[in-house]
Amino acid sequence: MTKRVKQLRLVVHAEDFDEAVRFFRDVVGMPEEESYSGGNGAIVKILGAGRATLELANTAQVEMIDEVEVGRRVAPHFRVALEVEDTAAETRAVVAAGATLVAEPTETPWRSLNARFDAPGGVHLTLFQELDPRLEPDGRRLVQVAQRVEDLARARAFYADLLGVEPVATFDPPGLVFFDVGGVRLLLDRGAPSGLVYLRVDDLPATVERLRESDVHVESEPHVIFGHDDDTLGPAGTDEWMAFITDSEGNLVGLVEQRPRA
């Protein structure tokens, strides 16, 4: 039998968000893999669970996701989310198998195609498809970007703070630090030329202010670069905001947020 489900994600609406994070992350020992925040105090943390993830979402986050995917609040206390290859095809299959369709496949601002169902067993279910391909049809993909550094320890600390993660590997000598950024390696290398790296963030103004408070030089304040009228370069109906900072080694770094138009 062909395996069509690629990931299990259990989404938990946590009324006491901080306590839930403390218990599952710090007591149970599930490592924090991702963390995002948005408007109106929306917060979500994704905790590793082997081959699955536990997503803890506060009330504002649950309401925001329901509004995007369904248009109204529908999610119960637990919602099961499964990643699939083709949301549209799987929607037809699960409805034919007895699931009740709650919301047709909808493209989200974060580039996934999500559909909602009430499934057998009383499970409120999301099927989601990531729309940004991990591999090109011929198997090619971007593997690594290198950035020039002069002081390896200083640069390592700067990018660990900026990215919110520790390096996956350090080799010194010869002077190499590797970060995993969404499946692409960012290499800090004393021998590399200077480059301009663009990093996606969830809240551009807040990120810029946090960095400014850490004495990072802000070269350009957040501003709209262009709007996406279609999906050619980003989600349709969003504006692309950018700001530029200077890293610890004097390299320019672009920060990017794709924000739904007001």
Side-chain angles (χ1 to χ4, degrees):
M1 181 178 180
T2 302
K3 294 182 178 179
R4 296 182 297 183
V5 174
K6 297 171 62 179
Q7 180 187 148
L8 167 65
R9 179 171 295 181
L10 178 61
V11 182
V12 177
H13 171 202
E15 288 281 0
D16 190 337
F17 181 77
D18 292 337
E19 175 59 17
V21 171
R22 183 197 68 81
F23 179 83
F24 285 101
R25 183 188 64 191
D26 303 334
V27 178
V28 178
M30 301 174 68
E32 183 174 322
E33 296 186 346
E34 300 174 55
S35 180
Y36 305 101
S37 60
N40 298 320
I43 308 171
V44 61
K45 291 184 182 293
I46 299 176
L47 309 183
R51 300 184 63 185
T53 58
L54 176 62
E55 180 175 319
L56 303 175
N58 69 359
T59 299
Q61 175 74 17
V62 171
E63 291 175 349
M64 183 269 288
I65 296 295
D66 275 5
E67 181 63 31
V68 168
E69 296 183 5
V70 184
R72 65 188 190 281
R73 176 65 191 271
V74 295
H77 189 67
F78 291 103
R79 172 170 60 88
V80 174
L82 302 176
E83 183 180 1
V84 296
E85 292 282 359
D86 186 334
T87 297
E90 296 297 340
T91 293
R92 293 190 292 270
V94 299
V95 168
T100 300
L101 183 66
V102 176
E104 296 280 355
T106 301
E107 183 175 338
T108 70
W110 44 92
R111 294 286 292 154
S112 64
L113 189 64
N114 297 16
R116 289 283 192 95
F117 312 85
D118 285 323
V123 175
H124 191 64
L125 177 67
T126 294
L127 297 181
F128 68 99
Q129 171 190 350
E130 300 293 355
L131 296 177
D132 291 326
R134 293 178 175 84
L135 288 174
E136 296 300 322
D138 61 2
R140 291 179 297 174
R141 66 183 179 94
L142 182 63
V143 173
Q144 180 169 292
V145 175
Q147 181 63 290
R148 176 195 63 84
V149 303
E150 295 179 357
D151 186 318
L152 197 66
R154 181 178 64 194
R156 180 188 187 280
F158 178 89
Y159 279 94
D161 178 66
L162 177 62
L163 299 172
V165 296
E166 291 298 314
V168 294
T170 299
F171 302 96
D172 192 21
L176 307 173
V177 174
F178 293 88
F179 287 89
D180 179 25
V181 185
V184 177
R185 294 194 304 258
L186 173 61
L187 166 61
L188 306 182
D189 182 357
R190 291 192 184 103
S194 180
L196 175 54
V197 176
Y198 292 80
L199 298 171
R200 182 176 177 178
V201 300
D202 292 305
D203 188 332
L204 185 59
T207 300
V208 168
E209 287 309 309
R210 181 181 68 81
L211 294 170
R212 196 196 316 272
E213 291 172 1
S214 299
D215 295 325
V216 174
H217 176 68
V218 178
E219 187 72 26
S220 174
E221 298 291 339
H223 58 285
V224 176
I225 297 294
F226 57 87
H228 297 285
D229 294 323
D230 54 35
D231 294 324
T232 302
L233 296 176
T238 64
D239 288 328
E240 185 125 331
W241 288 72
M242 291 187 186
F244 293 87
I245 61 171
T246 303
D247 73 7
S248 61
E249 311 308 295
N251 303 302
L252 198 63
V253 177
L255 304 176
V256 183
E257 179 186 4
Q258 292 168 337
R259 190 183 305 170
R261 291 174 183 164

